[in-house]
C-alpha cells in the first residue's frame, strides 16, 4: 500500500489552534527549536516508523531542521539533520517525497514563486533547489509543490497573469535543476482551492492540469491529490482522483479527510470505509500508485493527547485503506457495477458508435440517422441500483 508518515503533522503538530495553546507535550520534546531537538525528534520519527512497520516518510525542509539567520545557515542546519536521517533510514526506509516550506515566514506573505517581490522569488528558488537536493540525497521518490501562499487575496492589487507566468518559469527552473542533479523522482503539484489565500492558483486537479498544459509542463509533473483539499474545492476525493487519472496525472494521494460540517482543512485521518473504497477503486483503475503512495497528511484532534493516539490513528488509517482495497476488489470481481456501466453506454458499441468515438461521424451523417431513428428511447441510469451494489460491498 506504500503508506507514508507526514513528519509535519506527526512530529511538529502541537494541537494549537487560533483559539488555544498547544496541547501535545510529547515526552521527547524539550520545548526548544534547537538543532539538538531536531535530531532527537528525527530519532523519534524513525522509532515510530520502525514500530509501525512503515517504510516511507514525507517532510518539509523546515519541519526537520531549524531555520537559520541566512540561507547558508539554514542549509547547514538541514545538512546536519539530513545526515542523521540518512543514517537512521538504513537500507529499507526512504522519503516518499520531500518539499519546501514556503509559507510560514513573513517573507512569503505575498507568496513564494508568485510573490510580487523578485527577492522572494529568488529566495524561494534557493530553498527549493536545496530541498530537491536533500530529497535526492535521501533517496526520495517524489518531490511535491503545494502552493503554500501561491494565490491572491484580492484581484484589485494582483496581476494574475504575471504571477501565473512566474509560477511556470519557477517550475521550469525546478525541472531544469532536477535533471541537472540527476534526480529521477516525480515532481508533483498538490491542488488546493483556498487556505491560506482566498484563491489558490492550483485550485483543483482540472485547474492544475490546464496550467501544466498551457505552460508545457504536462510531461514533467503529476498530481498529488489530497482528499480534504478535494472536498474544499467542492468535489469528492473520488472526482479528483478520477480527473487526475484520466489525464494520466495521478501520482500520489495525501490520504486524509475533512469534516462535512466544518469548512476548512481539518486534516483528519481517513476512517470512512465507503470513502476508502472509492479511493481504492481509482487506484486500482490507475494500475496502482507507485512511485507515489498514501501519505497520511493528517493530524490528531487537538483533544487526542496520548502518544498511543499517534499509533491508533495511523494503524486505523492503514486498516481503513486496506479494507477499501478489499471492498474495491470485491466490487470488481463481482462485476455488477462494471456491467451496469457497460450497459449504460452500449449504444456506442455499434458501428455508428465506433465512428462517433473515432471522431469520424460528421453532422450530416448524424442528422440522417437521427431522422431515420425518430424520437430516441432513453433508458434508466439505474442510480439506486448502482448505490445498492456499492453499499453491499462494504
Ligand atoms: C497543506 C498541505 C501540505 C502539503 C505539503 O494543506 O496539505 O501539508 O501536503 O506542503
Ligand atoms: Co497535503
Amino acid at each position: 500500500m506504500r503508506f507514508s508518515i507526514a513528519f509535519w503533522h506527526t512530529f511538529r503538530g502541537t494541537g494549537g489552534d487560533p483559539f488555544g495553546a498547544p496541547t501535545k507535550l510529547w515526552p521527547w520534546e524539550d520545548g526548544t527549536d534547537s538543532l539538538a531537538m531536531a535530531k532527537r525528534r528525527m530519532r523519534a520519527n524513525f522509532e515510530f516508523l520502525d514500530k509501525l512497520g512503515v517504510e516511507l516518510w514525507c517532510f518539509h525542509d523546515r519541519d526537520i531542521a531549524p531555520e537559520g539567520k541566512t540561507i547558508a545557515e539554514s542549509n547547514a542546519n538541514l545538512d546536519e539533520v539530513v545526515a542523521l536521517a540518512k543514517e537512521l533510514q538504513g537500507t529499507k526506509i526512504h522519503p516518499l517525497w520531500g518539499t519546501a516550506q514556503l509559507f510560514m515566514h513573513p517573507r512569503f506573505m505575498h507568496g513564494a514563486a508568485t510573490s510580487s517581490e523578485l527577492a522572494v522569488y529568488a529566495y524561494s528558488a534557493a530553498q527549493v533547489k536545496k530541498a530537491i537536493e536533500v530529497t535526492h540525497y535521501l533517496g526520495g521518490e517524489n518531490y511535491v509543490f503545494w502552493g503554500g501562499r501561491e494565490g491572491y487575496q484580492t484581484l484589485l492589487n494582483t496581476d494574475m497573469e504575471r504571477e501565473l507566468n512566474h509560477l511556470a518559469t519557477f517550475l521550469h527552473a525546478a525541472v531544469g535543476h532536477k535533471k541537472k542533479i540527476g534526480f529521477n523522482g516525480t515532481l508533483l503539484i498538490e491542488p488546493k482551492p483556498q487556505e491560506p489565500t482566498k484563491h489558490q492558483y492550483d485550485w483543483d486537479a482540472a485547474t492544475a492540469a490546464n496550467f501544466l498544459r498551457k505552460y508545457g509542463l504536462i510531461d514533467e509533473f503529476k498530481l498529488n491529490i489530497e482528499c480534504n483539499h478535494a472536498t474544499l474545492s467542492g468535489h469528492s476525493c473520488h472526482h479528483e482522483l478520477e480527473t487526475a487519472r484520466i489525464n494520466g496525472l495521478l501520482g500520489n494521494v495525501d490520504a486524509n479527510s475533512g469534516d462535512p460540517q466544518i469548512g476548512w482543512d481539518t486534516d483528519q485521518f481517513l476512517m470512512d470505509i465507503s470513502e476508502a473504497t472509492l479511493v481504492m477503486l481509482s487506484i486500482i483503475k490507475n494500475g496502482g500508485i507507485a512511485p507515489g503512495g498514501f501519505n497520511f497528511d493528517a493530524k490528531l484532534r487537538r483533544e487526542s493527547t496520548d502518544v498511543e493516539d499517534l499509533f491508533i490513528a495511523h494503524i486505523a488509517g492503514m486498516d481503513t485503506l486496506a479494507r477499501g482495497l478489499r471492498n474495491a476488489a470485491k466490487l470488481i470481481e463481482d462485476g455488477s457495477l462494471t456491467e451496469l456501466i457497460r450497459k449504460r453506454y452500449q449504444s456506442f458499441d455499434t458501428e455508428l458508435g465506433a465512428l462517433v468515438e473515432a471522431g469520424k461521424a460528421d453532422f450530416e451523417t448524424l442528422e440522417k440517422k437521427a431522422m431515420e431513428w425518430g424520437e430516441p428511447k432513453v433508458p434508466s441510469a439505474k442510480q439506486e441500483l448502482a448505490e445498492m451494489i456499492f453499499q453491499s460491498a462494504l
Side-chain angles (χ1 to χ4, degrees):
M1 299 287 288
R2 297 180 59 80
F3 295 124
S4 164
I5 306 306
F7 192 94
W8 54 98
H9 283 313
T10 303
F11 288 96
R12 301 311 304 268
T14 65
D17 73 10
F19 300 94
T23 56
K24 295 183 212 321
L25 306 158
W26 304 132
W28 54 87
E29 292 286 331
D30 67 6
T32 71
D33 192 23
S34 65
L35 249 180
M37 184 58 244
K39 290 184 190 169
R40 188 155 55 242
R41 203 180 280 127
M42 191 53 79
R43 290 186 189 279
N45 175 48
F46 283 96
E47 186 180 329
F48 186 63
L49 287 166
D50 181 49
K51 287 179 172 165
L52 279 180
V54 166
E55 293 172 3
L56 296 165
W57 64 297
C58 291
F59 65 96
H60 297 80
D61 48 1
R62 299 294 179 257
D63 306 330
I64 60 173
E67 175 152 352
K69 287 195 197 70
T70 61
I71 294 174
E73 206 179 299
S74 297
N75 286 353
N77 288 349
L78 192 55
D79 283 338
E80 228 179 294
V81 180
V82 162
L84 174 68
K86 175 99 173 163
E87 181 192 320
L88 296 171
Q89 281 190 159
T91 50
K92 274 206 315 220
I93 301 177
H94 59 271
L96 176 63
W97 49 263
T99 188
Q101 199 262 75
L102 304 167
F103 42 91
M104 274 197 191
H105 193 282
R107 77 174 71 87
F108 299 119
M109 69 180 172
H110 308 301
T114 65
S115 173
S116 41
E117 275 305 310
L118 175 61
V120 177
Y121 182 98
Y123 198 104
S124 309
Q127 214 180 305
V128 168
K129 173 180 176 288
K130 182 69 180 172
I132 295 177
E133 287 165 8
V134 302
T135 302
H136 182 38
Y137 173 74
L138 288 169
E141 292 188 78
N142 305 269
Y143 183 88
V144 163
F145 292 85
W146 166 57
R149 291 179 193 274
E150 314 294 25
Y152 61 79
Q153 300 293 15
T154 171
L155 279 176
L156 292 175
N157 66 6
T158 303
D159 187 335
M160 178 157 71
E161 187 177 20
R162 208 164 177 186
E163 292 200 0
L164 285 165
N165 289 344
H166 291 175
L167 182 57
T169 56
F170 191 92
L171 295 178
H172 272 290
V175 171
H177 192 65
K178 163 195 155 159
K179 292 185 176 162
K180 189 168 175 192
I181 64 169
F183 174 54
N184 293 324
T186 311
L187 301 179
L188 299 159
I189 289 198
E190 180 177 331
K192 184 176 183 181
Q194 66 273 132
E195 197 197 7
T197 70
K198 90 157 180 179
H199 178 96
Q200 302 272 128
Y201 289 133
D202 301 321
W203 183 272
D204 61 3
T207 310
N210 180 58
F211 170 86
L212 291 172
R213 271 199 191 95
K214 172 176 174 182
Y215 289 102
L217 289 160
I218 196 85
D219 296 328
E220 303 291 351
F221 281 80
K222 287 201 175 345
L223 300 178
N224 175 25
I225 301 299
E226 175 165 327
C227 291
N228 202 170
H229 296 175
T231 49
L232 284 181
S233 63
H235 303 304
S236 62
C237 190
H238 196 205
H239 169 92
E240 286 294 84
L241 291 168
E242 286 295 283
T243 302
R245 184 182 70 76
I246 65 180
N247 282 285
L249 293 173
L250 181 50
N252 192 78
V253 182
D254 266 8
N256 65 7
S257 72
D259 185 314
Q261 283 173 267
I262 304 177
W264 65 86
D265 198 15
T266 56
D267 283 336
Q268 289 168 238
F269 280 83
L270 202 168
M271 301 288 192
D272 185 314
I273 291 165
S274 150
E275 180 79 350
T277 304
L278 294 171
V279 167
M280 295 315 301
L281 276 171
S282 282
I283 300 301
I284 293 174
K285 281 191 187 153
N286 198 54
I289 192 74
F294 298 96
N295 171 45
F296 290 114
D297 192 358
K299 59 186 176 215
L300 294 180
R301 295 306 84 198
R302 184 168 194 268
E303 304 78 11
S304 301
T305 52
D306 293 339
V307 173
E308 181 196 54
D309 295 326
L310 285 173
F311 286 90
I312 293 170
H314 285 88
I315 291 167
M318 291 190 263
D319 285 351
T320 304
L321 283 165
R323 290 176 73 178
L325 175 61
R326 289 191 167 183
N327 293 340
K330 216 191 294 177
L331 279 165
I332 290 167
E333 277 158 16
D334 167 78
S336 315
L337 214 46
T338 317
E339 181 56 11
L340 186 149
I341 295 172
R342 190 198 62 78
K343 274 198 190 144
R344 193 161 180 227
Y345 298 90
Q346 69 188 354
S347 65
F348 283 87
D349 301 331
T350 54
E351 209 177 311
L352 182 61
L355 217 57
V356 167
E357 291 189 340
K360 287 184 182 145
D362 61 19
F363 273 7
E364 273 150 22
T365 314
L366 291 167
E367 182 190 48
K368 202 166 145 246
K369 259 304 179 201
M371 284 176 165
E372 179 193 320
W373 279 337
E375 190 54 38
K377 280 192 210 72
V378 185
S380 166
K382 298 277 177 219
Q383 180 171 333
E384 296 76 10
L385 178 60
E387 287 167 348
M388 189 194 77
I389 296 168
F390 177 75
Q391 293 294 331
S392 325
L394 303 186

